């Protein structure tokens, strides 16, 4: 792939520049020729959906995804129904913002029964699919690293995500491959191949040791141990040629000047993705 | 199982009381009627093998395992051969200390090629098996949580461990089930059943959020989300009825009085294991 073609797939996942509000992030993308952005709902809500939509449209940016729906398991049926309602709002927002991809971080268990929580995830997705379909929005299940099984998601492997997705048409439910979450998986390349035609996003960052912070411990591509380029080629072989989101959650990156960060991202992306 | 029978299986994994040297740990076990101990090599080396052996024998303690062999992958063939030599010393030490179980923490990759590192682990074990067999020592592959894939072990699931172990007789190679490392695994109970007759140890602690320290973030049984009792029953159904090691790596526990810690362990063990 030419450098130019690769760079045309670069998407700034907005959490990478948490120091910027949505307006600043949009302006940053324009300033640095980043053609895509992934919008986080908490950022969008600061200025409202309409203004967010207008900003992105005026800037000529494309939206690779909205982050995030999910968080399906809960202690009571009432709470689970409220989660579905919130997911429906997320679907509407994704459609309004012009993306067909809603990323699902599926949520932790409300108690010690992780099996039951995993069933609640499957049930929640099943309830959401017809609604999302009406809006032309695909549900993109993102497996999270097993170290987040207790507090962020009980969906921890590509195998789990694809097993749920396979119950639906590829136009309805698919999976996100985030290198940080799945690089360790002994079945990774088998599972990427299995997800052929269902991959809805490819997220990059890196894993570096020692890691002082599990949540905010993601590094710039090339600074760690992940075979990012090998994984990109694998997801391409499995049919994914869409935007590639740079999603780096790291306090020391948030503490820097946003323009510096985006410049480094572009260099790191060209070299290591 | 009666409380008495369960307590007869309690083993103090020595890293839990890192504040104690081996002599203090042995005395602590005697003082609190803990019948088993798992010996760490760095503690043993402080006083030497002979004195360690004598202390344990005089105290009437049984040794559940020696921790640890492993660390097979390395950048050069020479280094890998050195690792095998060190593993042979560990086998000898296990035999001298009167246990038939050497725990293997298999090691990280020397570079970005995790597949190659995994092959090096399999090769290392293959080289070690005949030597260990001569000493009557079983190699116990411990899968480590995927969050340790970059710095401690590329063997991260029960499936990987059992797949290697199955190449050998159950009297030669088996697996350790440590709740902290495997509790999140969607295939956990299937894999425990698959490992039937090959489980060489069961380690307990707990996983609590938020976790401030990946390495020293283990908690007392009952303080977290792990279904410890369910897992104990599963490993028993798979034929394991041996000692149960309490292995809690946590700075705040190391900062406490060792006797207090062991007393709490006994209560927590009786209630939650």
């Amino acid at each position: 792939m030419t450098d130019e073609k690769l760079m045309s797939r670069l998407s700034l996942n907005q959490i990478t520049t948490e120091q910027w509000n949505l307006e600043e992030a949009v302006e940053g993308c324009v300033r640095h020729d980043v053609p895509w952005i992934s919008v986080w709902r908490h950022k969008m809500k600061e200025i409202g959906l309409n203004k967010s939509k207008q900003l992105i449209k005026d800037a000529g940016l494309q939206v690779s995804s909205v982050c995030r729906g999910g968080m399906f398991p809960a202690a009571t049926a009432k709470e689970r129904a409220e989660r579905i309602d919130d997911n429906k709002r997320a679907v509407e927002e994704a459609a309004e913002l012009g993306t067909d991809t809603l990323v699902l971080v599926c949520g932790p268990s409300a108690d010690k029964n992780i099996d039951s929580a995993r069933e609640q995830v499957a049930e929640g997705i099943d309830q959401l699919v017809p609604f999302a379909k009406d809006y032309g929005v695909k549900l993109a299940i993102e497996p999270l690293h097993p170290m987040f099984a207790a507090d962020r998601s009980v969906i921890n492997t590509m195998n789990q995500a694809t097993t749920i997705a396979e119950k639906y048409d590829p136009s309805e439910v698919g999976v996100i491959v985030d290198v940080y979450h799945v690089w360790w998986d002994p079945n990774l390349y088998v599972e990427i191949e299995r997800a052929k035609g269902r991959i809805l996003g490819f997220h990059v960052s890196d894993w570096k040791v020692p890691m002082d912070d599990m949540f905010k411990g993601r590094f710039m591509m090339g600074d760690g141990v992940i075979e990012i380029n090998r994984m990109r080629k694998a997801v391409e072989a499995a049919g994914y040629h869409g935007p590639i989101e740079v999603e780096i959650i790291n306090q020391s990156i948030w503490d820097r000047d946003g323009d510096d960060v985006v410049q480094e991202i572009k260099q790191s992306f060209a070299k290591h993705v």
Side-chain angles (χ1 to χ4, degrees), chain A:
Chain A
M1 187 175 301
T2 62
D3 285 358
E4 197 180 336
K5 191 159 181 197
L6 180 62
M7 295 313 283
S8 76
R9 298 172 65 190
L10 172 59
S11 178
L12 178 67
N13 183 297
Q14 209 188 340
I15 198 69
T16 305
T17 50
E18 172 72 6
Q19 62 272 57
W20 277 345
N21 61 31
L22 183 57
E23 185 165 10
E24 291 166 332
V26 166
E27 289 169 355
C29 285
V30 170
R31 203 155 50 241
H32 296 282
D33 292 320
V34 175
W36 295 86
I37 189 167
S38 165
V39 177
W40 277 58
R41 295 177 74 204
H42 71 286
K43 294 286 194 182
M44 181 273 291
K45 282 176 181 164
E46 289 171 0
I47 55 170
L49 180 58
N50 286 339
K51 188 170 178 196
S52 300
K53 187 179 166 180
Q54 196 63 46
L55 273 173
I56 291 165
K57 190 183 169 194
D58 291 348
L61 284 183
Q62 295 175 276
V63 178
S64 52
S65 71
V66 161
C67 193
R68 58 179 167 65
M71 297 290 155
F72 299 105
T76 65
K78 180 171 176 290
E79 286 173 280
R80 290 194 290 279
E82 287 166 0
R83 306 287 177 94
I84 297 294
D85 285 342
D86 184 60
N87 273 282
K88 289 181 177 174
R89 299 298 81 72
V91 165
E92 291 168 348
E93 289 160 14
E96 281 290 314
L97 290 168
T99 178
D100 65 356
T101 304
L102 176 64
V103 174
L104 300 183
V105 173
C106 292
S109 181
D111 55 30
K112 288 195 181 192
N113 191 337
I114 194 169
D115 290 346
S116 163
R118 284 165 171 161
E119 287 166 18
Q120 289 173 16
V121 169
E123 289 163 8
I125 290 171
D126 197 58
Q127 288 176 56
L128 194 57
V129 166
F131 185 90
K133 189 182 172 75
D134 282 347
Y135 281 82
V137 171
K138 298 173 187 174
L139 303 179
I141 306 170
E142 179 165 354
L144 257 56
H145 194 287
M147 71 184 176
F148 296 124
D151 55 353
R152 294 182 189 278
S153 180
V154 293
I155 303 301
N156 307 108
T157 62
M158 285 282 295
N159 182 280
Q160 284 178 283
T162 304
T163 298
I164 295 173
E166 280 182 344
K167 293 189 280 183
Y168 305 94
D169 190 84
S171 67
E172 296 169 336
V173 184
V175 303
I176 298 286
V177 179
D178 182 316
V179 302
Y180 183 81
H181 293 305
V182 301
W183 73 274
W184 61 272
D185 188 339
N187 294 319
L188 179 58
Y189 295 95
V190 171
E191 289 294 338
I192 287 175
E193 197 180 343
R194 180 180 165 228
K196 191 165 188 167
R198 293 191 173 272
I199 296 174
L200 301 178
F202 182 52
H203 296 182
V204 296
S205 63
D206 214 333
W207 181 291
K208 186 180 169 187
V209 288
M211 184 178 293
D212 295 328
D213 188 314
M214 284 163 59
F215 181 55
K216 294 186 279 186
R218 305 188 201 186
F219 285 84
M220 195 65 76
M221 296 74 72
D223 285 353
V225 301
I226 302 178
E227 296 178 293
I228 302 171
N229 185 260
R230 180 181 176 198
M231 287 177 64
R232 171 166 73 82
K233 288 175 177 159
V235 300
E236 286 170 6
Y240 185 73
H241 302 279
I244 300 172
E245 294 185 9
V246 174
E247 184 180 28
I248 306 175
I249 302 177
N250 186 313
Q251 186 64 52
S252 73
I253 285 179
W254 294 348
D255 290 339
R256 286 169 54 189
D257 174 72
D259 282 299
D260 279 353
V261 170
V262 176
Q263 277 172 342
E264 190 183 346
I265 282 173
K266 288 184 74 175
Q267 290 164 7
S268 167
F269 190 86
K271 191 167 176 188
H272 299 287
V273 175

